[in-house]
Amino acid sequence: MPNRSRLTEFAGLPVVEFTGWDTLRDDFGLAMYWARNRREPHTGHPRRYDRLFEAVAAPGSVAWRLRMESPSYGSGSNSPIETLGQYLDRFTEFVAPAEVAALIVGSMEGDAEAMPSDEVRDRLIGLAPKLTAVRSLFFGEILQEENEISWIEHGDLAPLLAAFPSLEAFTVRGGSAGLRLRIAEHRALRSLTVQSGALRPEVVRDVCASVLPGLERLELWPGSREYGGDSTPEDLSPVLSGTAFPRLRHLGLRNAEGVDDWIPALAGAPVLPSLATLDLSLGTLTDEGARVLLDAPAFRALKRLDLHHHYLSEETAERVRAEFTRAGVEVDVSGPQEADVDEYDGVRHVHRYSAVSE
């Protein structure tokens, strides 16, 4: 699933992590402790950093991951030797900032649960005049093992996009409670993705009210109602009407616990004929939603329909695959899931979960 492993490629570039001093100290400290106590060299430490050095020599050839880990107890010291500000300053000192094209921002200061999102945002804004070539930015690449997606907190990220007027693709993960993303105007942005375990209606309305005349790809993760992801098609109506983003060609409503409820609104939406691809993957699609997909001719004008990770019956999945393929639509119905069924107080309960949830 998307939040269970780190990206190895971003914006079409291989990812290289800018290693923090604390991680380097731990790596070499472990190797020396091992040699002293075991009386032999460690086979895996210290790690080789050739790829990092190659990337420093050609900063635009990779996507840079910025991430800080807590010092490991027992490898010399568990006190950090580098602050967030020092780490970011060192990055722009050793990596020519004007050549950096893509950035991934992961957990900082080794504590993803308390990621200082506003501080990281503000420091990136301060560095933006140096990072003039950045075209793709992923803010909040935090794994499930570090923090549940619905617990990742962000504030207002619109100022971050304003600081990078040449940015073409922006992805944010998390921000169930405080995220705001009403972008006054950004003429360069082509792709916007909001990955959430529970996308609040206010955020959806923020996005719809943003002035993004060049936007071609929009991906939203409605998530779970239980955690506050109670956005509805009405909240997205400016997008569905085709008026918000006239150049939109890809729409993703992924990781939606109630994806069946979105499909009837999509079936009659004026935006649908202008879309090339529709992504309803990672959600809880059932035969009920699939029947609307099959009955509405407008869906057959798509070039691609992604439904992977679903709760379709085998018969319905095969019918969807056959009919859309026959219509010339590339369709993905992989990843069938089984619902959890239990019974208490004489009532049968069926539970279906989106792919990225708690």
Side-chain angles (χ1 to χ4, degrees):
M1 290 302 118
N3 69 332
R4 295 180 189 171
S5 59
R6 302 193 201 284
L7 294 175
T8 58
E9 183 179 295
F10 179 62
L13 298 170
V15 176
V16 170
E17 185 167 314
F18 186 72
T19 313
W21 284 138
D22 298 290
T23 301
L24 287 166
R25 177 184 61 181
D26 286 352
D27 191 20
F28 281 85
L30 174 60
M32 287 187 283
Y33 270 82
W34 182 282
R36 185 193 69 183
N37 296 330
R38 299 292 186 97
R39 299 292 181 178
E40 62 181 7
H42 195 290
T43 57
H45 294 273
R47 289 168 286 191
R48 295 183 62 87
Y49 291 93
D50 297 17
R51 189 68 189 96
L52 174 61
F53 301 146
E54 292 168 358
V56 170
S61 66
V62 304
W64 287 96
R65 175 181 289 113
L66 304 178
R67 187 174 71 96
M68 296 179 70
E69 294 182 288
S70 292
S72 300
Y73 180 78
S75 60
S77 171
N78 64 338
S79 299
I81 61 173
E82 188 170 40
T83 66
L84 171 60
Q86 290 169 337
Y87 170 76
L88 294 175
D89 287 343
R90 185 167 57 86
F91 173 68
T92 55
E93 176 187 353
F94 284 107
V95 179
E99 298 180 38
V100 175
L103 279 177
I104 300 171
V105 180
S107 59
M108 290 293 186
E109 302 203 317
D111 185 1
E113 189 169 345
M115 176 185 175
S117 178
D118 287 354
E119 183 185 356
V120 176
R121 174 202 62 197
D122 293 345
R123 289 189 179 276
L124 285 177
I125 290 172
L127 293 174
K130 298 180 179 180
L131 296 165
T132 54
V134 172
R135 297 294 180 267
S136 300
L137 174 60
F138 188 150
F139 192 80
E141 190 210 29
I142 296 172
L143 305 189
Q144 185 179 41
E145 67 185 40
E146 296 171 323
N147 203 18
E148 296 289 358
I149 191 170
S150 64
W151 298 353
I152 303 169
E153 297 298 342
H154 299 301
D156 188 358
L157 295 184
L160 180 60
L161 278 84
F164 290 88
S166 298
L167 195 67
E168 296 176 359
F170 180 71
T171 297
V172 59
R173 177 179 294 166
S176 301
L179 177 64
R180 297 311 302 259
L181 201 55
R182 182 170 296 215
I183 306 162
E185 183 176 21
H186 200 297
R187 307 196 69 83
L189 200 69
R190 299 291 181 266
S191 175
L192 176 61
T193 299
V194 184
Q195 299 180 355
S196 177
L199 194 59
R200 294 177 297 111
E202 297 92 326
V203 180
V204 177
R205 292 195 289 267
D206 273 353
V207 170
C208 291
S210 297
V211 182
L212 306 171
L215 196 71
E216 299 171 356
R217 297 177 58 86
L218 176 64
E219 181 180 309
L220 303 175
W221 292 23
S224 168
R225 296 188 180 101
E226 181 181 352
Y227 288 90
D230 48 5
S231 54
T232 67
E234 185 176 352
D235 299 310
L236 195 64
S237 57
V239 172
L240 299 181
S241 70
T243 59
F245 310 123
R247 294 184 61 181
L248 197 69
R249 297 296 176 264
H250 170 90
L251 178 61
L253 294 169
R254 308 183 72 200
N255 201 52
E257 220 172 61
V259 67
D260 284 358
D261 299 334
W262 290 85
I263 295 175
L266 287 165
V271 75
L272 186 59
S274 66
L275 296 179
T277 55
L278 178 64
D279 190 342
L280 304 176
S281 65
L282 306 182
T284 59
L285 178 67
T286 71
D287 287 5
E288 180 181 351
R291 280 191 289 272
V292 181
L293 289 171
L294 290 164
D295 292 343
F299 290 111
R300 286 174 167 74
L302 293 166
K303 291 184 178 179
R304 190 171 195 276
L305 176 62
D306 192 340
L307 306 175
H308 82 269
H309 186 285
H310 57 78
Y311 290 83
L312 301 179
S313 65
E314 188 174 341
E315 296 78 9
T316 299
E318 175 54 30
R319 184 185 169 198
V320 168
R321 186 203 62 76
E323 294 198 17
F324 277 94
T325 300
R326 191 178 304 119
V329 182
E330 180 187 347
V331 62
D332 186 349
V333 287
S334 62
Q337 307 293 309
E338 292 289 337
D340 291 341
V341 180
D342 56 41
E343 185 173 327
Y344 53 90
D345 293 336
V347 180
R348 184 173 181 268
H349 299 269
V350 179
H351 306 281
R352 301 181 182 91
Y353 304 99
S354 57
V356 181
S357 60
E358 278 92 83

